[in-house]
């Protein structure tokens, strides 16, 4: 029998998206072919401790979100490119190598994982990994720089204002005036968070400061965006096989059900007040233009592996880029795997393609 490929699946992490990362990992590990791959589950507790996480609950149960307990043996990277593995560190015992790791699947969302930090660490350790590299991950995580890159490439983005921590402390009135010039409503967002964490829709000037303070609990840097009239549509992008072109999935339209008027955390994961319409109910020409623009947005940031690109489509069928997610959720209700299933690539095949793409990627500068 051929030797199995060892995959270190890393999940949890220090960001506010810890629980969603755990749910993603549970779904992905269940889909990995056990005849081809040996899975090494690596959990990162909320305090940043790396542990061997073999018995964690990785699903939302009765509304309770999962998390990495941090009770397993502590793990460390040896930072020896020749070792290409992980080391278990237990109290009063000699550290022991867990064997060679062929590829790392970092299923981390948000800061300290999706933002280039773990990617840089894996580069230093000489390990192949799934997904975007250091720069693309960092730019994709920071909505301010993401939009600057897209604008430089001539891609369509809506009006926005950035507020840094320093500006909020020292130039508050000036920044509030800039936001008010966008018109109402606006969306207040942490610049470096996902899963709709900390987002508020603000329709009145008196609600703006409370929304900003709520977003600052997640990130001291904010982006405030003018509302765009239209439907919200998402599109998955995969790195091409071999030297083949990068590919876009059929797009998904987000359809709201009930009282929620935007796609927030509860709507996405907890209360079932949204659904995905795949393919989106758009004319064929608009769908093809949207898929091509999604690939352009992916290429503009230098992404690798995968990404989900989010759009608004106006009533006149103009496209407005919202954001990119370089490690989109893989939960059972997540758009990314559903879009690819509708395009003809089922969940297990999708996971396998991501692993194989990473395994064939060269180490070092690319």
């Amino acid at each position: 029998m051929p030797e199995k490929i060892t995959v270190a699946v890393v999940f949890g992490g220090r960001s506010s998206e810890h629980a969603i990362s755990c749910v993603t990992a549970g779904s992905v590990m269940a889909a990995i072919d056990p005849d081809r791959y040996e899975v090494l589950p690596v959990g990162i507790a909320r305090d940043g401790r790396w542990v061997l996480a073999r018995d964690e609950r990785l699903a939302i149960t009765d509304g309770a979100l999962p998390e990495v307990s941090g009770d397993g043996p502590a793990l460390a990277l040896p930072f020896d490119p020749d070792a290409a593995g992980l080391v278990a560190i237990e109290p009063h015992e000699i550290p022991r190598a867990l064997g060679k790791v062929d590829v790392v699947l970092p299923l981390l969302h948000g800061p300290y994982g999706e933002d280039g930090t773990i990617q840089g660490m894996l580069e230093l350790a000489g390990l192949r990994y799934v997904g975007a590299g250091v720069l693309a991950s960092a730019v994709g995580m920071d909505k301010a720089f993401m939009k600057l890159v897209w604008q430089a490439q001539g891609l369509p983005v809506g009006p926005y204002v950035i507020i840094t921590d320093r500006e909020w402390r020292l130039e508050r009135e000036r920044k509030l005036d800039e936001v008010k010039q966008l018109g109402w409503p606006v969306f207040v967002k942490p610049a470096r968070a996902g899963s709709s964490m900390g987002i508020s829709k603000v329709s009145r000037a008196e609600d703006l400061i409370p929304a900003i303070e709520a977003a600052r609990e997640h990130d001291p840097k904010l982006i405030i965006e003018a509302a765009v009239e239209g439907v919200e549509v998402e599109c998955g992008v995969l790195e091409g096989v071999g030297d083949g072109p990068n590919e876009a999935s059929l797009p998904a339209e987000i359809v709201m059900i009930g009282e929620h008027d935007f796609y927030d955390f509860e709507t996405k994961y907890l209360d079932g007040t949204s659904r995905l319409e795949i393919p989106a109910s758009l004319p064929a020409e608009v769908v093809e233009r949207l898929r091509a623009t999604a690939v352009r947005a992916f290429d503009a940031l230098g992404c690798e592996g995968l990404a989900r690109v989010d759009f608004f489509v106006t009533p006149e069928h103009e496209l407005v880029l919202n954001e990119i997610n370089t490690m989109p959720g893989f939960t059972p209700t997540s758009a990314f795997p559903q879009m690819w299933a509708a395009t003809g690539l089922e969940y297990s095949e999708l996971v396998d393609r991501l692993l194989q793409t990473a395994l064939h990627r060269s180490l070092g500068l690319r």
Side-chain angles (χ1 to χ4, degrees), residues 342-360:
T343 312
L345 196 61
E346 294 297 333
Y347 198 117
S348 59
E349 297 172 306
L350 176 60
V351 173
D352 184 69
R353 174 163 166 175
L354 292 172
L355 293 171
Q356 289 298 319
T357 300
L359 283 163
H360 287 89

Side-chain angles (χ1 to χ4, degrees), residues 121-138:
M121 187 169 65
L122 295 172
E123 295 277 358
L124 289 172
L127 289 168
R128 290 178 172 85
Y129 56 92
V130 171
V134 177
L135 180 61
S137 296

Side-chain angles (χ1 to χ4, degrees), residues 144-160 300 321:
F145 287 105
M146 171 202 307
K147 290 179 186 289
L148 285 173
V149 172
W150 282 342
Q151 286 175 302
Q153 292 292 314
L155 290 165
V157 301
Y160 65 93
L321 281 164

Side-chain angles (χ1 to χ4, degrees), residues 155-237:
L155 290 165
V157 301
Y160 65 93
V161 170
I162 303 300
I163 303 180
T164 66
D165 180 57
R166 179 180 175 85
E167 288 171 332
W168 186 240
R169 288 185 289 108
L170 302 180
E171 303 176 68
R172 180 173 301 197
E173 291 305 317
R174 181 177 69 83
K175 299 306 293 187
L176 289 172
D177 287 340
E178 288 183 18
V179 173
K180 291 171 185 176
Q181 290 173 26
L182 295 174
W184 306 107
V186 296
F187 287 88
V188 179
K189 301 180 180 180
R192 296 164 293 190
S195 296
S196 296
M197 292 286 188
I199 296 180
S200 299
K201 182 179 180 180
V202 178
S203 300
R204 305 181 306 169
E206 54 265 41
D207 296 330
L208 181 57
I209 290 178
I212 288 173
E213 294 295 358
R216 280 172 52 82
E217 293 178 8
H218 297 268
D219 187 349
K221 182 178 182 180
L222 307 181
I223 182 167
I224 293 91
E225 299 170 341
V228 177
E229 183 184 0
V231 296
E232 191 167 354
V233 178
E234 301 180 339
C235 188
V237 181

